[in-house]
């Protein structure tokens, strides 16, 4: 009976340790990036109102099939600066893939671009959606 009890205690401690480790990893991951807060953080894809990553920013940590065209239902620029509050659709002038391990496909009406990790691109206000593709 003592051996079974010791085994159960060890198993319980191992499971508890695993749960604590998973929770710590989840907390760390969420601390790295807070989507839709107007800051281009690690792990996010970002659209900027101005060329060369200038102006207000709209940050994402996942794919978006349609940015929407009008307030209050569109994705908008959240960061400080020129363009804050405007809808992203056809108003983003540049993009940055600030993810780790994802290529971003940025779709336009007539074509698409693939942005590698760390790559930036001036997009001339033609964006309609984007998709995260795991590398």
């Amino acid at each position: 009976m003592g051996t079974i009890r010791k085994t159960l205690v060890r198993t319980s401690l191992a499971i508890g340790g695993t749960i604590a480790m998973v929770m710590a990893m989840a907390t760390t991951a969420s601390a790295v990036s807070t989507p839709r807060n107007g800051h281009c953080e690690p792990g996010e894809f970002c659209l900027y109102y101005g060329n060369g990553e200038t102006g207000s920013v709209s940050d994402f940590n996942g794919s978006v099939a349609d940015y929407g065209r009008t307030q209050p239902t569109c994705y908008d620029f959240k960061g400080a600066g020129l363009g804050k509050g405007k809808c992203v659709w056809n108003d983003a002038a540049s993009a940055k893939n600030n993810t780790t391990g994802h290529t971003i496909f940025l779709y336009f009406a007539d074509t698409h671009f693939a942005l590698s990790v760390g790559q930036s691109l001036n997009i001339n206000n033609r964006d309609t959606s984007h998709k995260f593709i795991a590398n």
Side-chain angles (χ1 to χ4, degrees), residues 1-11:
M1 192 85 156
T3 303
I4 293 173
R5 187 173 288 156
K6 286 179 184 176
T7 302
L8 287 174
V9 169
R10 285 186 195 136
T11 303

Side-chain angles (χ1 to χ4, degrees), residues 47-134:
L47 294 170
Y48 294 85
Y49 186 74
N51 282 325
E53 300 171 40
T54 61
S56 187
V57 66
S58 191
D59 54 317
F60 304 89
N61 69 349
S63 301
V64 174
D66 186 348
Y67 295 135
R69 290 174 172 78
T70 58
Q71 288 287 16
T73 58
C74 68
Y75 285 92
D76 57 356
F77 292 100
K78 299 286 187 188
L82 192 59
K84 182 175 182 172
K86 288 189 169 215
C87 293
V88 167
W89 187 79
N90 281 351
D91 252 345
S94 58
K96 180 177 183 178
N97 180 351
N98 205 27
T99 68
T100 53
H102 289 90
T103 296
I104 303 296
F105 277 46
L106 187 58
Y107 296 94
F108 308 120
D110 56 347
T111 189
H112 72 276
F113 289 98
L115 277 76
S116 302
V117 173
Q119 185 178 6
S120 297
L121 179 69
N122 286 336
I123 57 175
N124 303 318
N125 304 347
R126 303 183 315 162
D127 52 301
T128 57
S129 63
H130 70 267
K131 186 173 184 179
F132 278 53
I133 307 293

